[in-house]
């Protein structure tokens, strides 16, 4: 991996951490207070988030593929599928906001990412896999493995909670979503950013 791409991926990891915080806050404001601007902001952040993390997953794959190339490829594929699923889901939300849909169709879940299957479940699996693979790479922070594991667990709770309970205001869904969106996922990307940017400088 070239130093130029390392710096680029490190920078996008910082941005991914920031976008996770922005999305979580604006979505919470929309759900609790029904602010129209927050709905727009969360949808745009959602759409952007998937595209932003693509270089991060590619860089992580380059770092961990030496010891476990097949698992590394599996993590990359899961990460990319989840990322593009999130972007398409966000683009769907933006499209609905720009041209509201009348009737029952307005309440239907996204067909490409129903209840966040790709955004939460598949992306969560990718973070967990990358975290597990990072244990055998001395160039990645040791904390990446437990943080990735916690991210997987909480993202799965959010997905199954949204699928079963639907209402994002349910306490266990809200708590899991806030913790993973404001703390765990930003911490994961911040650790990756520190590693990539530090190595690029070296």
């Amino acid at each position: 991996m070239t130093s130029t791409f390392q710096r680029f991926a490190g920078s996008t990891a910082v941005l991914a951490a920031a976008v996770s915080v922005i999305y979580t806050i604006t979505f919470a404001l929309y759900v609790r207070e029904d602010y129209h601007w927050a709905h727009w902001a969360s949808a745009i952040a959602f759409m952007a988030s998937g595209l932003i993390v693509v270089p991060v997953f590619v860089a992580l794959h380059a770092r961990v593929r030496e010891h476990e190339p097949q698992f590394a490829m599996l993590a990359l594929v899961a990460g990319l599928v989840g990322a593009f699923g999130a972007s398409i889901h966000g683009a769907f939300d933006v499209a609905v906001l720009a041209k509201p849909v009348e009737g029952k169709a307005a309440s239907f879940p996204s067909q490409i990412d129903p209840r966040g299957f790709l955004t939460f479940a598949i992306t969560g699996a990718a973070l967990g896999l990358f975290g597990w693979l990072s244990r055998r790479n001395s160039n990645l922070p040791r904390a990446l493995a437990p943080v990735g594991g916690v991210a997987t667990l909480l993202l799965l709770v959010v997905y199954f909670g949204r699928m079963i309970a639907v209402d994002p205001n349910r306490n266990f869904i809200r708590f899991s979503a806030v913790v993973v969106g404001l703390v765990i996922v930003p911490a994961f990307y911040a650790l990756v950013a520190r590693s990539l940017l530090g190595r690029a400088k070296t």
Side-chain angles (χ1 to χ4, degrees):
M1 181 165 51
T2 67
S3 59
T4 302
F5 187 79
Q6 277 193 196
R7 285 192 293 270
F8 174 65
S11 300
T12 57
V14 173
L15 190 57
V19 170
S20 176
V21 172
I22 292 170
Y23 169 74
T24 303
I25 292 173
T26 53
F27 185 75
L29 286 172
Y30 162 64
V31 169
R32 291 178 62 85
E33 306 296 340
D34 200 26
Y35 293 139
H36 188 64
W37 67 266
H39 197 182
W40 268 101
S42 64
I44 293 171
F46 199 9
M47 181 173 62
S49 65
L51 300 178
I52 291 168
V53 299
V54 168
V56 182
F57 289 142
V58 172
L60 279 172
H61 172 263
R63 279 287 181 86
V64 301
R65 67 185 175 187
E66 180 180 356
H67 297 293
E68 293 284 356
Q70 290 78 27
F71 278 115
M73 180 58 69
L74 186 61
L76 176 61
V77 170
L80 294 180
V81 169
F84 290 127
S87 284
I88 295 171
H89 190 157
F92 173 85
D93 291 345
V94 170
V96 171
L97 283 169
K99 188 70 174 179
V101 179
E102 301 294 337
K104 291 183 178 180
S107 61
F108 288 168
S110 166
Q111 292 182 354
I112 194 70
D113 186 29
R115 304 303 180 199
F117 173 68
L118 300 179
T119 300
F120 303 128
I122 301 302
T123 301
L127 297 183
L129 268 174
F130 277 126
W132 174 67
L133 290 167
S134 73
R135 295 186 303 172
R136 300 183 62 180
N137 190 302
S138 60
N139 292 326
L140 289 170
R142 290 180 178 272
L144 205 61
V147 171
V150 173
T152 301
L153 177 63
L154 290 178
L155 286 169
L156 286 175
V157 169
V158 173
Y159 166 64
F160 283 110
R162 291 284 288 121
M163 185 175 64
I164 297 168
V166 180
D167 183 6
N169 273 316
R170 292 288 184 92
N171 286 337
F172 75 98
I173 301 176
R174 183 171 56 192
F175 174 79
S176 299
V178 167
V179 171
V180 77
L182 293 183
V183 180
I184 304 301
V185 168
F188 184 93
Y189 290 126
L191 287 168
V192 175
R194 187 181 69 177
S195 173
L196 293 174
L197 294 175
R199 292 287 297 177
K201 288 178 182 179
T202 302

